[in-house]
Amino acid sequence: QASHPEEYEEGRAVARIVMDGSALCTAWLVSCDNHVITNNHCTWDDNDFDTQGELNRMEFQFMYQDATCGGGSPTVEYSFMGGTWLENHHNLDYTLIQAPAGENPAATYGWLTIDNRLADIDELIYIVGHPSGRPKEYGLESTHPSDASGFCEVYSQNEPACIGGSVPEIGYMCDTEGGNSGSPVLSRATNKVVSLHHCANCPNRGVRIQNVWANNQAGAHPLPPCSLTNELGTVELDREGYRCSGTLTVLVNDESLIGTGDPQ
């Protein structure tokens, strides 16, 4: 929280999935309308999270973490049960749901936006999730020789699909464990999601997020525009302090204007 405040803030939108009382996978808010995405294989039943009945047995826990670094008493700040099952895709390994009516986690924790592009080789990334059901962890650093920066990087753009089909996937050496399934893989340059993690055995692999976006937009439950742009925008100052005679520069960024000109 202190050393990587931007990454920490993005991770607030990430949740642990508990099914039938046992930790299962990771999920994350993907829209201002409280859509939630995870892996299709995240279920105890048949490796296809494809029914409302499965969703009804799931709890989505936000801010399941320790109060202090290395602490041993994790707590859940907020959770909800079930919701509305919307769609799934076996080969792209995603399932999309909507939080129950009356629940508005996006208003508190925000949501992660989709980076609708192919991540670059050696691009710095990070992964937020609940490995082995533990309190939230961030994959930031890497000791693998291919990650020369010492941080997690994109290793390849064309790994074989590990579920089915022929669509190539993103590869990386960033550490994950069981329970990380469904975790967002974010670019450190944009703090947006470039891949949906779902497969181990180095290189670990994630579905290209632009393939998930394209499939969703062509279907019956397209995600809203805020899944690509944070319509709340930002206002930033160019420094933390100013002298009385100093010049204050304010940067206003409205991402909802992307595509219509410079949003800044």
Side-chain angles (χ1 to χ4, degrees), residues 112-244:
L112 300 181
T113 49
I114 287 173
D115 211 341
N116 192 25
R117 64 180 176 89
L118 181 61
D120 295 327
I121 298 294
D122 296 330
E123 182 170 351
L124 298 185
I125 57 172
Y126 62 102
I127 301 175
V128 189
H130 292 275
S132 296
R134 294 192 300 271
K136 187 183 297 173
E137 296 184 15
Y138 289 71
L140 284 161
E141 299 177 353
S142 173
T143 58
H144 194 275
S146 68
D147 294 334
S149 65
F151 293 97
C152 296
E153 301 176 7
V154 174
Y155 174 76
S156 61
Q157 300 169 320
N158 296 290
E159 292 299 320
C162 63
I163 296 295
S166 58
V167 179
E169 299 182 348
I170 301 295
Y172 38 85
M173 300 301 178
C174 202
D175 285 338
T176 61
E177 294 180 25
N180 268 120
S181 290
S183 293
V185 182
L186 297 100
S187 165
R188 292 192 67 181
T190 65
N191 284 312
K192 294 185 177 185
V193 179
V194 294
S195 182
L196 177 65
H197 173 74
H198 76 143
C199 188
N201 300 326
C202 292
N204 295 327
R205 279 166 284 173
V207 179
R208 293 179 176 182
I209 201 65
Q210 67 266 44
N211 293 335
V212 174
W213 174 258
N215 187 80
N216 166 262
Q217 292 297 293
H221 303 283
L223 288 165
C226 65
S227 294
L228 284 184
T229 59
N230 186 339
E231 295 178 338
L232 296 178
T234 60
V235 177
E236 300 178 20
L237 304 180
D238 62 338
R239 63 186 67 181
E240 294 183 356
Y242 300 87
R243 295 183 180 275
C244 294

Side-chain angles (χ1 to χ4, degrees), residues 10-18 24-30 35-39 42 49 58-62 80 95 97 112 128-130 136 179-184 196:
E10 297 298 326
R12 287 169 53 83
V14 175
R16 182 175 78 150
I17 301 178
V18 173
L24 176 61
C25 281
T26 298
W28 43 282
L29 289 161
V30 66
H35 292 91
V36 178
I37 194 168
T38 188
N39 282 156
C42 286
F49 181 8
M58 293 183 182
E59 179 183 5
F60 295 80
Q61 300 177 336
F62 288 82
F80 64 79
T95 294
I97 74 160
L112 300 181
V128 189
H130 292 275
K136 187 183 297 173
N180 268 120
S181 290
S183 293
L196 177 65

Side-chain angles (χ1 to χ4, degrees), residues 73-94:
S73 301
T75 58
V76 175
E77 185 174 281
Y78 161 82
S79 69
F80 64 79
M81 288 291 299
T84 302
W85 186 94
L86 297 176
E87 68 183 38
N88 75 312
H89 193 284
H90 181 83
N91 288 351
L92 294 178
D93 199 15
Y94 80 89

Side-chain angles (χ1 to χ4, degrees), residues 251-264:
L251 176 65
V252 179
N253 184 49
D254 183 354
E255 292 192 3
S256 66
L257 299 178
I258 289 178
T260 63
D262 190 345
Q264 297 181 346

Side-chain angles (χ1 to χ4, degrees), residues 33-46:
D33 291 336
N34 296 299
H35 292 91
V36 178
I37 194 168
T38 188
N39 282 156
N40 173 67
H41 76 255
C42 286
T43 174
W44 295 133
D45 292 350
D46 57 1

